[in-house]
Amino acid sequence: MPARPSVLYVTDLAYPARGRRYCDEDILLTSRLRADFDLALCHPRDAAALMDGFDAVVVRNSGPVLHYREAHDAFRARATAHGTRVYNPLTGRGDMAGKQYLLDLTRDGHPVIPTVDRPEDLHRLPETDLYAVKPRDGADSIGLRFLTRGELATLPRPADATGPHQGDGLHQGDVLVQPRIDFRYEVSFYYVDDTFQYALHAPDPERRWVLEPYEPTGADLAFARRFIDWNTLDHGIQRVDACRTREGDLLLVELEDLNPYLSLDLLDEPTRDTFVAAMTASLHRFLDTTPRA
């Protein structure tokens, strides 16, 4: 009888996410994945040291990378050097690679909340009472502030900065600035590989993680699909977060392709079972089609 594939499942079971219980979701997923894989769990800080003993590494609810940046960089470097099979693959162009994609998508005219990172580009943003200012490498709303345009000039300058914009408050590579959008609600679309699984939305803009099932229209799915196609990941789990404006349009908020929380506890049992089956099949395809160096 052939040996079953072995999987190192990376999660931070103790991460105190607001409005979510990461540990419950990963306990559920690992209990189901064990039917097909020999599986062990580890903290993201331990992944680089342990991963060589497994056929693949699955990164799930591992928390914001900024809490363990050095360990994460070491994990990526070692996985790349050793040809380790990582799910999601490390080629993601969304949050996995930082927030640069928001600038790229804005520049290329995609339906995304307009985003800039340079003082000379502030005029590209629509006029609004408040602007969202967030760290370029931020996550989970860590470091998020709302400022007026005048207050943008008060953003601190890094101590080692030099150049023509010294002292003007907004500095390339430091923070991102977006207009605060008066939206009706947020909605998330969940995918395994390139296949849509389900959607959830937050009817109350002030309660991001109080989610309800959402039945997407064809136009909604076309919106989400354009970002799945743009990301070009052959395997993995992705979440496309968007907001519905007062005018009825959808704008991308985030393309989460590193460790998207899935809110599986909010799904009915058939939808949850379908998702787990899709993830299991995706992992098998990934192992069957991705050579190990």
Side-chain angles (χ1 to χ4, degrees):
M1 184 175 180
R4 301 192 329 158
S6 61
V7 169
L8 182 64
Y9 190 103
V10 181
T11 177
D12 181 358
L13 295 175
Y15 178 68
R18 291 184 298 173
R20 295 152 284 164
R21 282 179 57 89
Y22 279 12
C23 57
D24 288 350
E25 181 160 288
D26 284 340
I27 290 168
L28 168 67
L29 280 174
T30 53
S31 69
R32 301 285 291 274
L33 291 172
R34 283 194 177 94
D36 284 66
F37 306 98
D38 292 334
L39 190 144
L41 280 68
C42 81
H43 189 275
R45 292 185 184 276
D46 303 321
L50 297 174
M51 64 186 181
D52 289 350
F54 294 83
D55 294 315
V57 177
V58 173
V59 178
R60 281 304 310 127
N61 290 316
S62 52
V65 167
L66 59 86
H67 292 325
Y68 53 95
R69 169 61 66 185
E70 185 175 342
H72 180 71
D73 290 346
F75 164 73
R76 285 184 61 98
R78 185 176 180 87
T80 300
H82 288 223
T84 304
R85 291 180 289 197
V86 181
Y87 182 100
N88 291 350
L90 299 177
T91 55
R93 303 167 67 192
D95 269 12
M96 184 183 299
K99 299 294 186 183
Q100 177 63 38
Y101 72 96
L102 294 172
L103 299 164
D104 296 340
L105 291 170
T106 296
R107 180 197 62 219
D108 294 341
H110 290 276
V112 58
I113 295 179
T115 307
V116 301
D117 70 339
R118 303 187 305 169
E120 57 264 38
D121 290 337
L122 282 175
H123 70 279
R124 299 179 182 274
L125 300 181
E127 290 285 346
T128 184
D129 292 338
L130 291 173
Y131 294 84
V133 180
K134 59 187 69 174
R136 192 184 185 96
D137 294 327
D140 208 17
S141 298
I142 296 171
L144 174 65
R145 292 171 290 168
F146 291 99
L147 302 176
T148 65
R149 187 176 285 260
E151 289 172 332
L152 292 177
T154 69
L155 293 175
R157 175 82 174 164
D160 60 348
T162 59
H165 300 294
Q166 186 169 2
D168 60 14
L170 177 61
H171 313 288
Q172 187 173 8
D174 184 16
V175 297
L176 302 179
V177 180
Q178 300 173 320
R180 184 170 187 175
I181 301 296
D182 180 21
F183 59 87
R184 289 160 49 192
Y185 57 81
E186 290 188 73
V187 58
S188 295
F189 307 89
Y190 301 77
Y191 283 77
V192 173
D193 298 346
D194 61 352
T195 302
F196 171 73
Q197 300 296 316
Y198 57 92
L200 297 169
H201 80 305
D204 183 350
E206 301 301 321
R207 304 172 73 190
R208 169 67 180 96
W209 293 106
V210 180
L211 298 168
E212 298 177 1
Y214 178 85
E215 189 64 37
T217 66
D220 293 340
L221 293 178
F223 167 90
R225 163 67 73 170
R226 72 185 293 166
F227 297 107
I228 296 297
D229 291 344
W230 176 86
N231 203 17
T232 67
L233 274 181
D234 293 330
H235 306 278
I237 299 168
Q238 299 179 72
R239 192 184 76 216
V240 179
D241 294 338
C243 62
R244 179 80 67 186
T245 68
R246 296 293 175 184
E247 294 73 31
D249 299 321
L250 284 177
L251 294 176
L252 182 75
V253 174
E254 184 174 52
L255 177 56
E256 177 55 83
D257 59 359
L258 173 60
N259 52 8
Y261 184 69
L262 305 171
S263 300
L264 295 179
D265 60 315
L266 301 180
L267 305 180
D268 58 44
E269 188 171 352
T271 304
R272 187 163 52 244
D273 289 347
T274 297
F275 177 86
V276 174
M279 180 182 175
T280 302
S282 172
L283 265 173
H284 279 297
R285 288 192 299 271
F286 175 63
L287 287 164
D288 290 343
T289 59
T290 307
R292 183 171 184 174

